[in-house]
Amino acid sequence: MSTLHTVNKSAYERNALKSCLDHALPGDAILLIEDGVLAARKGGSIAPALTAAKASCKIYALGPDLAARGIVAGQVLEGIETVDYAGFVDLAAGASRVCAWL
Amino acid sequence: MSDEQAKKKFFYLNRKAPYGTIYALESLEVVLIGAAFEQDVSLAFVDDGVFQLMDNQDAAGTGMKGFSKIYRALGDYEVRKLYVEKESLETRGLSIEDLMPITYEDENEDYAEKPSIILVGKSELAKIIADQDVVMSF
Amino acid sequence: MAGYDVNGATVEHDEEGYLTDIGQWTKDVADVIAKAENIDMTDEHWEVVNFLRDYYDEYQIAPAVRILVKEMTKKYGKEKGDQKALYALFPYGPAKQACKIAGLPKPTGCI
């Protein structure tokens, strides 16, 4: 029944993540990819919004995209799970639909 | 009817203004091609996507192909549900009166013209997304 | 660039024979394109071509075949809005071939 939402734009440049959070229902999964992973770093101004969303949605970030941008394990917001490409596929396969926020 | 059961719900999420990027025009082309497969199609206009439906668009001076009139042909293709998000309009100082009228002809009511644009709130739209089989984003 | 010879002037078309500039269309141009397509324009042909041009003018697209059939039926009745009849007029596809003669771009979704 649930939706996998993907966000590939930086939350500091676009409103894709905000729009995504506004339209995600409890039980949905949100996967940050490409520049979307920038929001997953601790200490950023978007962090409180993501932390609040964690209460009802599961949030993931794509490991290779974090690594490419120099965001290392200890810097990722608590509660955000890092997945690899196979994990991305599993999330998509496990969801009823995938909704991309571009 | 088995035909009805095989129908899938296709949902096109439009979040970009026209002309600045190719997204809006690409979305329209995919919608028109997809309409040939006779699925249950709906479109949503969210964030800057609401600008796609602005009335009085005239692209002539830009040298680009104007495509706003194509939205009015969607009814012919049995695309009759154009959800427009209220909050997105309000944020941009717009109301439904700023959008072009888009209608379809209801064959069950002697081809009466009915509005295709449906104004919805954010939370209502979230539920509509959760009801789709396929979501395509532009 | 290849072109149609219309009364001594050249009207450019693309590699498939569609006009490069829709603004260059005239009835004479249509006759020349039709000849190149081996079609003798009759009133029935013109009805379809004119319908397509009106539709394009209103909606900025050429309609897909099934839309053409539906709308022709609404406007001219079942006899004219018939897929077979339309193919009899334009053997290579009413939308594709008639659009070419009407000076319009190739319809979306038409392969």
Side-chain angles (χ1 to χ4, degrees):
Chain A
M1 285 303 287
S2 72
T3 302
L4 169 65
H5 301 268
T6 64
V7 178
N8 75 336
K9 297 295 188 300
S10 167
Y12 302 110
E13 195 200 343
R14 310 273 192 98
N15 73 343
L17 178 61
K18 188 190 172 297
S19 225
C20 167
L21 295 177
D22 279 349
H23 296 90
L25 291 180
D28 284 354
I30 297 169
L31 171 63
L32 308 174
I33 59 172
E34 300 166 23
D35 282 351
V37 303
L38 298 173
R41 197 179 186 282
K42 276 181 192 165
S45 61
I46 195 76
L50 269 184
T51 304
K54 267 180 353 198
S56 59
C57 296
K58 196 86 183 77
I59 303 180
Y60 303 86
L62 192 64
D65 285 335
L66 286 167
R69 288 160 182 80
I71 302 171
V72 297
Q75 297 169 338
V76 175
L77 272 171
E78 263 112 54
I80 294 190
E81 194 182 316
T82 301
V83 294
D84 56 13
Y85 290 112
F88 186 165
V89 173
D90 289 341
L91 285 171
S96 302
R97 69 199 66 75
V98 179
C99 182
W101 299 85
L102 306 170
Chain B
M1 220 168 90
S2 61
D3 264 7
E4 284 298 316
Q5 282 161 4
K7 261 193 187 180
K8 284 200 169 190
K9 290 186 168 180
F10 276 67
F11 179 83
Y12 295 84
L13 178 59
N14 299 288
R15 293 183 50 248
K16 314 272 188 202
Y19 306 110
T21 62
I22 196 73
Y23 285 97
L25 181 56
E26 291 276 299
S27 173
L28 256 182
E29 298 213 324
V30 176
V31 168
L32 290 173
I33 293 167
F37 298 98
E38 299 189 14
Q39 303 293 333
D40 181 359
V41 175
S42 59
L43 276 60
F45 298 88
V46 180
D47 297 329
D48 280 351
V50 298
F51 286 119
Q52 293 179 26
L53 302 183
M54 289 284 280
D55 208 358
N56 304 317
Q57 293 179 49
D58 179 6
T62 66
M64 286 187 267
K65 179 189 155 78
F67 56 87
S68 61
K69 287 178 178 174
I70 302 179
Y71 294 97
R72 297 196 291 107
L74 290 174
D76 288 348
Y77 288 77
E78 269 131 61
V79 176
R80 303 171 164 186
K81 284 172 288 193
L82 309 186
Y83 299 109
V84 174
E85 189 173 271
K86 212 161 38 181
E87 289 85 346
S88 300
L89 284 177
E90 283 164 6
T91 301
R92 290 157 183 79
L94 300 172
S95 72
I96 195 158
E97 283 75 38
D98 294 303
L99 308 182
M100 59 185 145
I102 302 176
T103 57
Y104 69 93
E105 294 177 344
D106 191 340
E107 64 279 346
N108 297 323
E109 286 186 30
D110 198 23
Y111 296 103
E113 295 221 342
K114 300 197 171 169
S116 300
I117 292 180
I118 306 162
L119 208 55
V120 292
K122 218 154 51 178
S123 55
E124 201 180 335
L125 191 67
K127 288 183 199 137
I128 291 167
I129 295 173
D131 189 39
Q132 302 301 318
D133 293 307
V134 180
V135 176
M136 273 172 281
S137 305
F138 292 90
Chain C
M1 240 326 175
Y4 295 109
D5 182 4
V6 184
N7 306 329
T10 304
V11 179
E12 269 185 27
H13 61 68
D14 66 10
E15 69 273 13
E16 290 180 272
Y18 292 86
L19 289 195
T20 324
D21 176 10
I22 169 176
Q24 289 193 298
W25 187 89
T26 61
K27 296 215 161 196
D28 286 348
V29 173
D31 278 324
V32 172
I33 304 173
K35 202 164 277 170
E37 295 282 322
N38 283 320
I39 285 174
D40 285 324
M41 293 295 283
T42 63
D43 288 349
E44 278 78 28
H45 290 96
W46 278 111
E47 237 164 41
V48 179
V49 166
N50 288 332
F51 176 85
L52 287 172
R53 288 192 60 85
D54 288 346
Y55 195 93
Y56 191 87
D57 197 45
E58 191 170 352
Y59 297 118
Q60 289 163 330
I61 50 165
V65 181
R66 70 185 180 92
I67 308 298
L68 176 64
V69 169
K70 199 168 76 176
E71 297 302 309
M72 287 288 290
T73 306
K74 241 187 272 170
K75 198 165 174 186
Y76 296 108
K78 261 206 151 61
E79 217 164 280
K80 296 280 170 69
D82 175 64
Q83 190 144 330
K84 258 193 194 152
L86 286 166
Y87 269 94
L89 291 170
F90 302 99
Y92 286 96
K96 226 164 132 178
Q97 213 170 17
C99 281
K100 197 185 282 184
I101 296 166
L104 308 181
K106 199 165 148 180
T108 303
C110 201
I111 305 148

